[in-house]
Amino acid sequence: MKTFVELLEVANSEIKQISCTELKQELGDENLVVVDVRSKEIIQSDGVIEGSINIPRGMLEFHADQREENPFRRTELDPNKKIVLYCGAGGQSALSSKTLQDMGFSNIFNLTGGTNAWVDAGFELKK
């Protein structure tokens, strides 16, 4: 049986990371999709990186399935765009990044340190 820490280590060894500074420079690019995988409750209390969309981790696979007939499909998760995922500290988004890669998405990045690192870097969250 694997622990959460072991799953996280595997995910982090297989995914690409992006720093807060790098993401800040790319915000607004039409070929970038920023996804917050935290719960709506946390988002309402803490705020989001401006321009991001919310897809809770528990629904990620349903929304990422790009079959035309999928009623849960989120077209914003365009496999042709760069997708950056984030959460509070980076764990949930690392696992989410690995999941999207496993589903066939290729241009996936995890925001290193999540919103904690974002705020520590001096950037704001929008409420």
Side-chain angles (χ1 to χ4, degrees):
M1 200 173 237
K2 287 187 179 180
T3 66
F4 163 72
V5 173
E6 290 169 325
L7 287 173
L8 197 53
E9 286 173 354
V10 168
N12 279 318
S13 73
E14 296 179 10
I15 63 173
K16 296 177 274 193
Q17 303 283 339
I18 187 170
S19 72
C20 295
T21 304
E22 290 169 322
L23 177 58
K24 180 71 172 171
Q25 292 170 350
E26 293 184 30
L27 285 180
D29 184 323
E30 65 183 32
N31 291 309
L32 175 70
V33 179
V34 183
V35 180
D36 188 326
V37 298
R38 300 173 300 158
S39 70
K40 289 185 190 297
E41 295 79 20
I42 296 293
I43 287 172
Q44 288 173 346
S45 113
D46 294 355
V48 297
I49 295 174
E50 191 164 3
S52 64
I53 61 171
N54 175 233
I55 299 179
R57 183 169 175 248
M59 292 297 293
L60 184 64
E61 294 87 348
F62 297 95
H63 293 305
D65 180 348
Q66 294 297 299
R67 293 173 299 134
E68 291 287 333
E69 67 273 12
N70 175 15
F72 300 105
R73 177 178 172 229
R74 294 281 298 266
T75 56
E76 301 100 310
L77 287 177
D78 184 340
N80 299 308
K81 294 186 177 183
K82 179 176 186 172
I83 300 174
V84 175
L85 295 102
Y86 72 90
C87 61
Q92 290 181 70
S93 55
L95 295 171
S96 297
S97 296
K98 170 106 169 56
T99 296
L100 288 184
Q101 281 186 187
D102 290 347
M103 291 180 75
F105 288 79
S106 60
N107 202 10
I108 304 297
F109 291 80
N110 180 45
L111 179 61
T112 305
T115 57
N116 293 343
W118 184 262
V119 171
D120 287 347
F123 305 129
E124 294 183 11
L125 296 175
K126 182 178 179 183
K127 292 201 179 197

